[in-house]
Amino acid sequence: MNKEITLEVFPNPQALAEATLSFIQEASENAKKAGRVFRIAISGGTTPRRLFALIEEKAQQGFSILSDAEIFFVDDRWVPKGHADNNGSMAWDYFKNSGISREHFYPIPTEGISPEKDAEIYENLLREKYGKNTLDPKEPLFDLVLLGLGGDGHTASLFPENEILNEKTAWVGTSKPLEAPHRRITLTYPAIASTRNVVFLVEGTSKGEMLARLLEGDTSIPAGCVVSEGNLLVMADLNATDAL
Ligand code: 6PG
């Protein structure tokens, strides 16, 4: 289990998005060489939009980076498909024009009878795809987990003062942010750790303080408790590193 964080800094948000895309492409090629389906779990929010737009743009130029991937989500807000705050709907708006088949795109269900029930459904899907009910450190569930960093130090929907921060066995659970809107469904720490690469995508001066705490290994913030069976990488723009 790796807690050693590597930081890569890029001059501006566009350079950050391009470097992240290259990293995803390399991880995808490694999966292909190993005869595996490339399995990626993506976050929502605003930061990844530039990356998603780049994926769409490249696809329209004939380079469909994620066409062979299985695309999962790190978390979602428990709002219906099509709601402005639904991460799955936001991402599909870009990916539907990116040579990605809907059959390999797995948004978190958010229209069931409860967030808990939808979380159970998503966990069952992950178990089915993984083919085993126990996460094996030698066979990570994902090739790449793309995380954001919240202003309160959350990542995924692992928010401060939530029971889910103590979850050691379930792969998917629910949370309720203290301030941010909507109840959430999220991967747990064990599921996030079961990956060949964790990549935090961090952009802007507003993330400076939490980035510094993340890099110091501050486990009092949820993002500081993320570990990885593989690499643990922070990819940030220059503005985010002001406080370092
Ligand atoms: C979400 C994300 C969340 C996000 C951070 C950073 O559903 O909102 O998964 O964890 O990554 O809140 O969000 P921004 O990229 O909007 O700053």
Side-chain angles (χ1 to χ4, degrees), residues 43-48 75 77 87 148-150 154-157 184 207:
S43 282
T46 49
T47 303
D75 68 337
R77 299 76 179 275
N87 289 334
L149 181 61
H154 82 265
T155 190
S157 281
R184 308 291 181 102
K207 303 297 173 77

Side-chain angles (χ1 to χ4, degrees), residues 68-100:
D68 300 331
E70 287 184 350
I71 302 169
F72 298 87
F73 282 78
V74 161
D75 68 337
D76 216 333
R77 299 76 179 275
W78 200 61
V79 292
K81 270 197 298 257
H83 186 290
D85 293 346
N86 184 290
N87 289 334
S89 303
M90 178 274 284
W92 186 244
D93 279 347
Y94 295 98
F95 290 176
K96 66 189 177 194
N97 310 316
S98 304
I100 293 164

